[in-house]
Structures are given as C-alpha cells and as structure tokens.
C-alpha cells in the first residue's frame, strides 16, 4: 500500500470533541454509544483517511490496495440522471477516491435498440480504454447484453441476468420485502395492498416473488393478498383511490422507489388517518421529508456503490477468482406508520 498522511486516534478525537477511548470503541464496533455517534465517527475517519489496522488488513487480504503510482480510471454507465443512480455513484466515487482511484459517471446517450451506435460510441467515448466498467440498474436489456460481452473488468450494481458471469453487488430487496411483511403481520395485518409492478425490471420481479412467498409463510390466503394496483398503468392512482375507499385493506406495501409520496398524497386527499385507518410501509431508498416517520426497510444503495469499488479492485488483482454476487442486507426502521391491530 502507498504511504498516506498519518492520522491518529487523537486527531479524530480532537476533530469530534470526543475521547480517544470513545472513538476507538466506535471504530471497533463495541457497544456503549448511540448509532448516530458511531456513524459520525466512521464518517469523520473516512473523511480524514484514517483506517484501523483491522481495516487495512481486510483490504490487504482481498488484494484491495490503495493506489500506488498512477491511479486507475473507471466509468459508471447510467441510463439517466436518476436520484437512486446518483446515490449509487456517490458511494462508488467516495470509496474509489479513498483508495486513490478515479471514477466518472457517463449517461447512455440514446434510447431504443441501437447496438451498432452503442459499439461506435463506446469506442469514440474512450470507455473501452478505461480500467473497468460499472453497470447501473435500469440500463436497457439490449445494451446490457452488449456491455456484458466487453473484455474489460466489469461490476454490476444490480441483480445479474440469469447465467451472467460477472461480479455484482446490490441491496437485497427480497430480504427487505420479508422484513416489511413480517413487520405488518406481527402487527396483526392480513389484508395488505401490494402497490408495485409484478414484472419488468429484475428487482421488481424479485420483490413480488418474495412478497408472495412471505404471505404464504404467514398463512395469508389468496383472497387477502390484494394485488390490484400496478404503477405501470397510468390509472394506478385512480385504482388506488377506489380500493382505499372500500375500507378493505388495513395496510399498503409500496414496493417501488418513488411511489410513497403520491400514495401519501392520495391518502391525505381521501381524509384517511395514518396509521389509524391505514398503515403503510414503503421501499424507499432514503427518508421522505414529507413523512420522516415512514416505516421502511433500509435499502443500502450508497453502500452498494462503495462495495462495488472494492469488488472491481479485487477483480483486477485476482482475474481468475470466482465471480461474486453480493447482496447487502439492511435493517428495518419501525417508524410511526404501522398500527397495531387486535388479532
């Protein structure tokens, strides 16, 4: 590893206004402090380029080294300027910068099935001459197929297509869905309205499959599984309103990012109380300013970008190593939007 500026525990403690002992406990994962304090210590340590001996050893064990000499240049290819993708890139950029390398986000410049144009553009843009390529979610399938065939090192920040031989990392939406159903069922809910696309993107299909399986484990009948609202239909909010006015569902499970806010507005328009008359859990990747107490599983979007950086450097250092497909499991935030029902 290259020699970096020496930062000590005392430096961190002085910056944070904490004792050296407290900072040391936080970095070693020991109990005895609040999670906000622990997160602040970790964030400050990263900002100041401080790593414990255990962290240094962990990087060395995976052949993930700080840049020595000329830094490597990587590209993250995205289909659009989307908040979720930008959060991924933030984590990726932050981790690569810490390790002494560079990564650039590049938008796919065209839509539609244009494989010839894509091949020419990859050459002209210089992407083919980068040290590695990160593939974000939401890329069109035809482009993804071509990109996966490129010879340079690749990491998908997404669920992989069946049979794909590529490293990948993604937040585990199946685990998140199980946590959401468990939270609702333990609170007495059985008539759960699933608002989400049952097909389309790979992640959407996995969420839906996990929802069905979790309901079955809780003994929820097909009649109680309310699957009437699909946001791919332009009339989905009208359908949602009609269902809510029947008073049949006791809870809503908003399965896709970006749906919670319009659902909350519709509930407000109907004059329904949350959680008194309707409970809600949403699969959002960050806190909503309009509903800070929203119950939700934590989707580790930024963390997936950070881990993708490490996967890429490991792949370059170990080109013959088995491919890894990593899923990051987040906790559940209980929030204030799920009512306890009498069973």
């Amino acid at each position: 590893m290259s020699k970096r500026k020496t930062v000590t525990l005392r430096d961190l403690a002085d910056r944070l206004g904490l004792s050296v002992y407290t900072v040391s406990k936080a970095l070693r994962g020991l109990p005895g402090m609040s999670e906000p304090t622990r997160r602040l210590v970790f964030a400050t340590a990263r900002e100041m380029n401080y790593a414990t001996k255990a962290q240094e050893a962990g990087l060395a064990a995976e052949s993930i080294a700080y840049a020595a000499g000329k830094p490597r240049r990587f590209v993250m290819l995205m289909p659009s300027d989307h908040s979720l993708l930008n959060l991924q890139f933030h984590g990726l950029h932050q981790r690569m910068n810490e390790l002494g390398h560079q990564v650039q986000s590049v938008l796919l410049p065209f839509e539609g099935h244009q494989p010839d144009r894509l091949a020419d553009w990859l050459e002209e843009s210089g992407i083919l001459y980068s040290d590695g390529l990160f593939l974000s979610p939401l890329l069109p399938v035809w482009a993804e197929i071509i990109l996966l065939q490129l010879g340079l090192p690749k990491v998908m920040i997404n669920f992989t297509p069946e049979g794909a031989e590529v490293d990948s990392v993604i937040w585990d939406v199946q685990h998140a869905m199980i946590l959401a159903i468990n939270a609702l069922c333990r609170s007495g809910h059985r008539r759960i309205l699933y608002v989400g696309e049952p097909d389309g993107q790979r992640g959407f299909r996995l969420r839906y499959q996990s929802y069905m399986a979790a309901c079955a484990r809780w003994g929820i009948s097909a009649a109680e599984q309310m699957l009437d609202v699909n946001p791919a239909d332009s009339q989905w909010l009208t359908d949602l309103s009609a269902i809510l006015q029947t008073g049949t569902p006791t809870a809503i499970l908003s399965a896709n990012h970006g749906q919670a806010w319009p659902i909350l507005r519709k509930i407000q328009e109907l004059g329904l109380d949350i959680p008194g008359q309707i409970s809600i859990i949403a699969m959002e990747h960050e806190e909503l300013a309009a509903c800070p107490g929203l119950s939700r599983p934590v989707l580790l979007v930024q963390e997936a970008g950070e881990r993708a950086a490490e996967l890429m450097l490991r792949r370059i250092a170990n080109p013959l190593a088995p491919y890894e497909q990593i899923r990051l499991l987040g906790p559940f935030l209980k929030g204030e939007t799920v009512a306890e029902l009498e069973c």
Side-chain angles (χ1 to χ4, degrees):
M1 293 185 183
S2 62
K3 187 70 174 178
R4 297 174 297 150
K5 181 181 178 180
T6 300
V7 178
T8 67
L9 283 175
R10 170 56 62 188
D11 295 329
L12 289 178
D14 290 345
R15 169 76 73 87
L16 292 162
L18 299 172
S19 70
V20 170
Y21 177 67
T22 299
V23 172
S24 177
K25 279 207 313 180
L27 293 174
R28 288 183 291 154
L30 300 179
M33 70 189 63
S34 68
E35 282 307 306
T37 298
R38 189 185 306 279
R39 286 195 294 268
L40 177 60
V41 171
F42 268 90
T44 304
R46 295 182 67 170
E47 178 188 341
M48 297 178 68
N49 289 323
Y50 177 85
T52 66
K53 290 181 179 179
Q55 290 169 336
E56 297 275 9
L59 290 174
E62 290 199 78
S63 300
I64 300 170
Y66 293 96
K70 183 179 179 181
R72 295 184 183 274
R73 182 182 70 87
F74 300 97
V75 170
M76 177 175 174
L77 188 57
M78 307 190 303
S80 62
D81 186 17
H82 191 287
S83 61
L84 182 143
L85 305 183
N86 289 333
L87 188 57
Q88 277 188 352
F89 178 74
H90 177 74
L92 174 61
H93 180 269
Q94 176 176 277
R95 190 67 178 124
M96 278 298 186
N97 184 63
E98 290 170 355
L99 294 169
H101 301 288
Q102 301 173 357
V103 61
Q104 174 187 10
S105 64
V106 177
L107 297 181
L108 194 67
F110 39 80
E111 299 177 357
H113 187 78
Q114 303 186 56
D116 293 337
R117 286 193 62 193
L118 176 59
D120 292 339
W121 175 75
L122 289 170
E123 175 77 29
E124 295 166 0
S125 65
I127 289 177
L128 294 181
Y129 306 103
S130 66
D131 290 294
L133 180 62
F134 295 92
L135 305 182
S136 79
L138 306 180
L139 287 168
V141 174
W142 67 267
E144 200 175 66
I145 292 172
I146 294 173
L147 294 166
L148 285 173
Q149 295 173 350
L150 298 178
L152 70 168
K154 297 171 291 293
V155 172
M156 294 192 74
I157 314 179
N158 196 2
F159 296 99
T160 58
E162 292 184 2
E165 295 184 340
V166 63
D167 294 304
S168 70
V169 59
I170 191 66
W171 51 98
D172 194 331
V173 294
Q174 291 180 295
H175 174 73
M177 186 60 67
I178 291 170
L179 294 183
I181 292 297
N182 287 349
L184 289 172
C185 289
R186 286 169 181 156
S187 297
H189 295 274
R190 292 297 184 273
R191 298 194 305 276
I192 303 168
L193 177 61
Y194 183 94
V195 181
E197 299 179 44
D199 48 30
Q201 294 284 334
R202 289 187 291 274
F204 293 169
R205 297 196 300 270
L206 291 173
R207 292 166 207 232
Y208 179 72
Q209 293 166 8
S210 187
Y211 165 78
M212 296 291 286
C215 285
R217 283 193 292 273
W218 278 94
I220 298 177
S221 69
E224 292 172 311
Q225 295 177 18
M226 307 189 65
L227 311 172
D228 302 86
V229 180
N230 185 343
D233 185 338
S234 61
Q235 297 296 310
W236 74 276
L237 281 173
T238 301
D239 296 339
L240 174 65
S241 179
I243 294 171
L244 290 178
Q245 289 181 80
T246 67
T248 303
T250 64
I252 294 173
L253 180 49
S254 174
N256 299 342
H257 162 71
Q259 291 176 182
W261 175 229
I263 290 173
L264 291 168
R265 283 188 302 181
K266 180 59 65 176
I267 292 173
Q268 185 179 34
E269 289 174 8
L270 295 174
L272 298 176
D273 176 68
I274 300 174
Q277 294 171 286
I278 187 76
S279 295
I280 182 170
I281 289 177
M283 301 271 281
E284 297 290 334
H285 67 258
E286 56 190 351
E287 181 181 280
L288 294 184
C291 189
L294 181 65
S295 300
R296 61 186 177 91
V298 175
L299 306 179
L300 301 176
V301 178
Q302 180 172 322
E303 291 82 353
E306 295 174 3
R307 184 64 177 131
E310 297 170 356
L311 267 182
M312 176 65 78
L313 296 176
R314 183 181 185 279
R315 171 56 51 195
I316 291 173
N318 304 276
L320 299 182
Y323 291 109
E324 296 185 32
Q325 297 182 357
I326 298 173
R327 297 192 184 188
L328 304 182
L329 278 61
F332 184 81
L333 296 181
K334 186 176 181 181
E336 303 170 352
T337 59
V338 176
E340 298 287 335
L341 303 184
E342 294 184 6
C343 299

